[in-house]
Amino acid sequence: MPSPLRAPTGSIGLLTAAQPGPTASGVGRATVPRWVPTVGGAVLVLAGLRRRSGAGAALATAGGALAYVGLTGRVAAPGWVQSRLPARGERGLVVERAVTVLRPPEELYGVWRTLENLPRFMPHLQAVTASGDGRSHWVAAGPAGSTVEWDARIVAEQPNELLRWESLPGARVPHRGEVRFSPAPGERGTEVRVRLEYDRPAGLLGATVAQLVGRGADRQVREGLRRFKRIMETGEIPTNDGQPRGRCR
Amino acid sequence: MKAVCWCAKDTLRVETVADPSILNPRDAILRVTSASICGSDLHLVGGYVPTVQSGDILGHEFMGEIVEVGPAVTNLRPGDRVVVPSFIGCGQCYYCRQQLWSLCDNSNANAWLSEAAMGYAIGGVYGYTHALGGYAGAFAEYVRIPFADVNPLTVPGDGLPDEQLLFISDAFPTGYMGADFCAITPGDVIAVWGAGAVGLFAMKSAKLLGAERVIAIDRLPERLRLAREHFGADEVINYEQQRDVVEALKEMTAGRGPDACIDAVGMEADSPGLDDVYDRALQAVRVQRERVHVVREAIMACRKGGTVVLLGVYIGLPDKLPLGPAMNKGLTLKMAQQHGQRYARRLLEHVQRGDIDPSLVVTHRVSLEDVPHAYTLFKHKDDGCIRVVIRP
Ligand SMILES: NC(=O)c1ccc[n+]([C@@H]2O[C@H](COP(=O)([O-])OP(=O)(O)OC[C@H]3O[C@@H](n4cnc5c(N)ncnc54)[C@H](O)[C@@H]3O)[C@@H](O)[C@H]2O)c1
Ligand SMILES: [Zn+2]
Ligand SMILES: [Zn+2]
C-alpha cells in the first residue's frame, strides 16, 4: 500500500486550488497570539494526514505552514513564497531555489548536463530527450492526467559552473531556466542554484494566478532539488512507499 | 507477519500486516530478535507527539538478524547479528560526516513536513511519526533497514545475550551522548534527572567519562536503588520527599551547584509544585504539549558557567523557561536526538569489557501479543517496570 504521505509535488496548475497558504507574499507579523496558529497548525497537519489524499497532503502542508507561523511569528513558511512577480527587467514569474550538495561541482554538472537525467529528480517531468544540437524535447505531467510537451534549447553552458536553457516558440508556458554550481565554503560541497522564469500564461493574467502557479513551480523545484541532493549524496531517494502498516479495524 | 500498531491515543493493537520488502538498493530486512519500549514511545502513544497515524507500526529500539540485503549492501550478509540505531543516517551527508547522525539531511522521507515545523528537517527514525520519516517500526517480526550499509552495528554471533546489546540501539548511546555533552573534567559533579534507562545510562556514562560524583533524581525507589547500586550514582534525591530539588543540589555541592545537569525525563515530567498546575492547565486546553519542569530545575540548579543537557524529548514551544537565569549564569545548553552510530562501537567495547551490564535495566520480557499490556505497565511504572524486552 503506498504511503498516504507524499511530498506535495505536482504539476503546475494542478495543486493550486488545494493550496491554502499565506496571502501575503512577503513576511509579516502574525497578529494573533503565537500559540493559536501553532495549535491550529498541528491540528491541520493531523487532519491532513488522516485524509490520505493529495488534498490531505496539501492540508498537512498548510498545517505545517501554520505551525511555522506559530513558531516564528512570520507569515511566510520556508519554501513557500520564494517565487515572486517580475522585477524590473524581468519578463515573468521567477522561482529561485538553492540546495547544498556534498559532492564536487563537476559531478553535479555532469549529471545535470545530461538532460535525460532530470526526470529522475524533478518529480513533474516524465521525460526529456536531447538531440545533439543543444535542443531537447520535454514531457511533463499536466492537469488531470494529461501531459504537457515543449521543446527547449541550451543557450549557455560553462562546464561545472552554469547551464542555461529556454523554451522554443510554441511552448504553452514559455520559460527560461538556469542552474549554477559554485563551491560551498569550508568543505561543504557545492551550492546548486536554480532559477526559472515563466512568462505569464496568456489569458491567465493577474497577480494571484501567477502567484499560485508560481507556488506550484516553487514546490516542484524545491522537492526536485531535494531529490537531486539525495541521489547525488546517497544514490537513492528515501521512501516508505510499499512498507507494511496496520489497518486498526 | 505480526506487528504492534498505534491505532489511537493509548491504544496499541497487534495486527497481521504484510512482510516488509526491500524498497531501495541500500535496504536490508532484519528479523527482529529483541526490541524494547522506550520512554519516547510513552510520549507518542500518550498523544503528545503529532503526525502519528492510525496503523503505524511502532518500535525504534531493536536488534536482530539480517535476512535479506539490497543490491548495494555489500558489507552485510544474511545471518549477521546486528544492533540498529534508532535514528537513520545516510552516512554521506554533511551531518552524518560530522557524526551528527540524527540530523541526517537525507534519511527523512517526509522532510517537507519536518521542515515546515522546524525550519529544517532532521533525520528519519523507525516507528516515530510521519514528520520523522514515517518508517515502519520494529515491534514486528521483521523490519526494513534503510541505508543498511552504514547504520547497523555488527555484533559477535555468540557470547553476549541480546539483553546486553539491545540498548546500544537507543537508550545507552542517548545516555552516553548526554555525558559526552557535559565535557567532563576532573572534579565534576553531574546531576541526572530521571532514573529510567536513559538516565541510568547517562549516570554510568558520566562515571566512565571521569565524573567525580553523580547525583540521581527520581521518585521511584527501585530505580534510585539501581542507580546507586549499578549505575554509578553516589547520591540520590527522591523528589517526592525532598520538595526543593534545586536547594538540595546546592547544599550537596556546598553552594556551588552541579557542574552539569542532565534532563533524562522529557515532556511528561511531573512535579509537586505550582508550575505543574500551570503546565497541566495549558495542556488541558491544548495550548502547549509539554511539561518542562525538569528543564526549569536543571537551569536553576546548574552552577555558573555549567552545562545543561536535554536528552528528554520536547517537541513544541513551551512557556516559562528561565532563559534569563541561563543567560546571566553563562550556561551552555546542549541537546539532541541521539547520534547512536557515533558511539555504538565504543559502547560495545564497554559491554564486552564488562564495564557496564546494560541488561540490568530489563525488568519484563514479553511476546508481541503482550506489548499493549506491557505498555500500560511501563507507562504507570507498575510492578517495578523499567524496561520491557519484546521477543517477537
Ligand atoms: N534524545 C534521544 O535521542 C532520546 C532517546 C531515548 C529516549 N529519550 C527520552 O528520554 C526520556 C527518558 O526516557 P526513558 O526511556 O528513560 O523513560 P522512563 O519513562 O523510563 O523514565 C523517565 C523517568 O523520569 C522520572 N521523572 C518524572 N518526573 C520527574 C521529575 N520531575 N524529576 C526527576 N525525575 C522525574 C520518572 O519517574 C521516570 O523514572 C524520555 O523523554 C525519552 O523520550 C530521548
Ligand atoms: Zn527511544
Ligand atoms: Zn546523512
Side-chain angles (χ1 to χ4, degrees):
Chain A
M1 183 197 298
S3 160
L5 267 175
R6 285 170 177 282
T9 53
S11 67
I12 298 174
L14 242 194
L15 287 164
T16 50
Q19 298 291 335
T23 45
S25 64
V27 168
R29 303 295 299 178
T31 50
V32 280
R34 292 282 164 81
W35 53 265
V36 173
T38 303
V39 174
V43 171
L44 262 187
V45 167
L46 291 170
L49 294 186
R50 280 198 201 100
R51 284 205 199 170
R52 307 189 173 188
S53 64
L59 200 56
T61 315
L66 258 186
Y68 175 83
V69 173
L71 282 164
T72 63
R74 284 161 180 237
V75 173
W80 266 58
V81 207
Q82 281 288 308
S83 56
R84 55 184 171 79
L85 293 172
R88 212 184 341 191
E90 291 170 337
R91 273 191 285 163
L93 184 81
V94 178
V95 174
E96 285 169 327
R97 279 278 150 198
V99 72
T100 303
V101 185
L102 196 56
R103 303 300 304 172
E106 48 287 5
E107 205 175 297
L108 306 183
Y109 178 87
V111 168
W112 204 287
R113 180 63 186 82
T114 309
L115 297 175
E116 279 88 348
N117 286 328
L118 263 51
R120 283 182 66 201
F121 51 88
M122 285 299 170
H124 64 296
L125 288 179
Q126 292 180 348
V128 179
T129 353
S131 39
D133 55 357
R135 294 183 175 230
S136 48
H137 183 71
W138 302 54
V139 183
S146 65
T147 55
V148 183
E149 307 196 13
W150 68 92
D151 290 315
R153 68 183 181 107
I154 290 185
V155 293
E157 58 183 312
Q158 293 160 24
N160 309 334
E161 285 175 18
L162 170 96
L163 195 62
R164 202 174 281 151
W165 64 94
E166 64 183 32
S167 58
L168 291 175
R172 213 180 78 185
V173 184
H175 63 277
R176 287 152 297 287
E178 171 188 292
V179 55
R180 286 177 179 275
F181 305 87
S182 59
E187 313 278 294
R188 282 165 174 79
T190 303
E191 294 179 359
V192 182
R193 297 180 183 279
V194 168
R195 183 175 194 283
L196 297 177
E197 203 182 316
Y198 295 91
D199 290 355
R200 295 186 195 190
L204 287 178
L205 293 177
T208 316
V209 172
Q211 197 70 6
L212 286 172
V213 170
R215 260 184 230 155
D218 188 63
R219 189 170 298 103
Q220 286 164 3
V221 173
R222 177 170 45 122
E223 291 305 322
L225 283 178
R226 194 197 306 285
R227 288 169 178 231
F228 177 63
K229 170 184 169 74
R230 289 175 164 192
I231 291 175
M232 296 312 298
E233 289 185 349
T234 79
E236 58 187 49
I237 297 171
T239 184
N240 45 43
D241 268 8
Q243 70 177 6
R245 55 183 299 111
R247 281 180 299 185
C248 291
R249 270 200 245 119
Chain B
M1 65 169 183
K2 288 215 176 324
V4 179
C5 302
W6 183 91
C7 289
K9 181 175 174 315
D10 286 320
T11 310
L12 297 179
R13 254 186 245 153
V14 184
E15 303 240 330
T16 301
V17 303
D19 286 354
S21 55
I22 302 269
L23 300 176
N24 261 336
R26 293 173 63 188
D27 287 355
I29 304 295
L30 184 88
R31 183 175 66 81
V32 180
T33 56
S34 295
S36 178
I37 311 176
C38 172
S40 301
D41 294 323
L42 298 179
H43 309 321
L44 187 74
V45 183
Y48 291 87
V49 188
T51 79
V52 55
Q53 289 183 301
S54 177
D56 287 352
I57 303 171
L58 300 191
H60 61 267
E61 187 167 61
F62 64 102
M63 62 179 294
E65 185 192 312
I66 299 288
V67 294
E68 193 187 343
V69 296
V73 182
T74 53
N75 58 337
L76 287 177
R77 264 187 309 218
D80 284 356
R81 186 187 191 208
V82 298
V83 180
V84 184
S86 52
F87 268 82
I88 303 165
C90 75
Q92 273 126 338
C93 70
Y94 174 79
Y95 293 95
C96 290
R97 293 272 170 90
Q98 300 284 316
Q99 298 295 312
L100 303 169
W101 291 77
S102 71
L103 306 180
C104 177
D105 263 345
N106 296 320
S107 63
N108 188 338
N110 299 323
W112 58 278
L113 195 51
S114 175
E115 213 165 63
M118 291 188 278
Y120 301 88
I122 68 165
V125 58
Y126 298 93
Y128 212 84
T129 78
H130 288 263
L132 299 188
Y135 292 101
F139 294 166
E141 291 171 78
Y142 298 93
V143 63
R144 177 176 69 102
I145 313 294
F147 301 121
D149 53 331
V150 293
N151 288 295
L153 170 75
T154 305
V155 295
D158 48 8
L160 295 166
D162 274 18
E163 287 180 11
Q164 294 249 7
L165 301 170
L166 169 61
F167 302 104
I168 294 177
S169 164
D170 188 62
F172 191 6
T174 303
Y176 194 90
M177 178 182 78
D180 191 23
F181 281 176
C182 295
I184 295 170
T185 56
D188 278 2
V189 179
I190 313 293
V192 181
W193 278 254
V198 171
L200 291 168
F201 288 123
M203 295 168 203
K204 184 68 186 183
S205 301
K207 273 297 170 66
L208 288 171
L209 290 170
E212 178 80 24
R213 252 165 88 205
V214 168
I215 302 171
I217 303 142
D218 205 307
R219 75 184 165 88
L220 299 163
E222 65 278 8
R223 292 182 177 217
L224 290 172
R225 193 175 333 110
L226 199 59
R228 203 200 275 274
E229 287 174 5
H230 295 287
F231 285 87
D234 301 279
E235 286 151 281
V236 301
I237 295 176
N238 184 326
Y239 66 80
E240 272 184 342
Q241 290 159 13
Q242 193 105 32
R243 286 209 134 209
D244 195 337
V245 171
V246 174
E247 201 52 40
L249 284 167
K250 191 169 185 178
E251 282 309 304
M252 289 161 96
T253 53
R256 301 190 305 279
D259 298 278
C261 293
I262 300 179
D263 168 357
V265 178
M267 66 179 92
E268 290 180 73
D270 53 38
S271 95
L274 249 188
D275 62 6
D276 193 46
V277 175
Y278 171 82
D279 286 344
R280 278 179 199 272
L282 290 179
Q283 255 171 3
V285 295
R286 291 272 177 255
V287 170
Q288 80 174 17
R289 292 172 179 275
E290 39 243 302
R291 304 197 289 265
V292 289
H293 177 72
V294 168
V295 188
R296 292 183 194 129
E297 272 187 356
I299 288 177
M300 294 311 290
C302 193
R303 77 153 165 87
K304 291 178 287 179
T307 301
V308 170
V309 174
L310 308 190
L311 298 177
V313 167
Y314 299 92
I315 56 151
L317 312 107
D319 255 359
K320 299 248 191 285
L321 284 174
L323 265 193
M327 187 277 157
N328 285 282
K329 289 202 297 176
L331 299 186
T332 298
L333 304 186
K334 296 204 89 175
M335 58 203 96
Q337 298 283 8
Q338 64 116 358
H339 308 306
Q341 295 84 338
R342 171 179 186 164
Y343 302 109
R345 203 163 301 279
R346 202 183 310 175
L347 301 189
L348 174 64
E349 283 164 20
H350 278 306
V351 176
Q352 286 173 326
R353 278 205 300 269
D355 299 336
I356 180 172
D357 180 357
S359 70
L360 289 167
V361 302
V362 180
T363 50
H364 294 74
R365 294 160 183 90
V366 301
S367 65
L368 281 175
E369 272 75 15
D370 291 329
V371 170
H373 171 69
Y375 159 72
T376 312
L377 212 65
F378 179 46
K379 180 183 170 81
H380 301 293
K381 315 302 186 221
D382 288 340
D383 194 26
C385 184
I386 299 176
R387 262 299 199 263
V388 178
V389 168
I390 303 159
R391 298 207 179 112

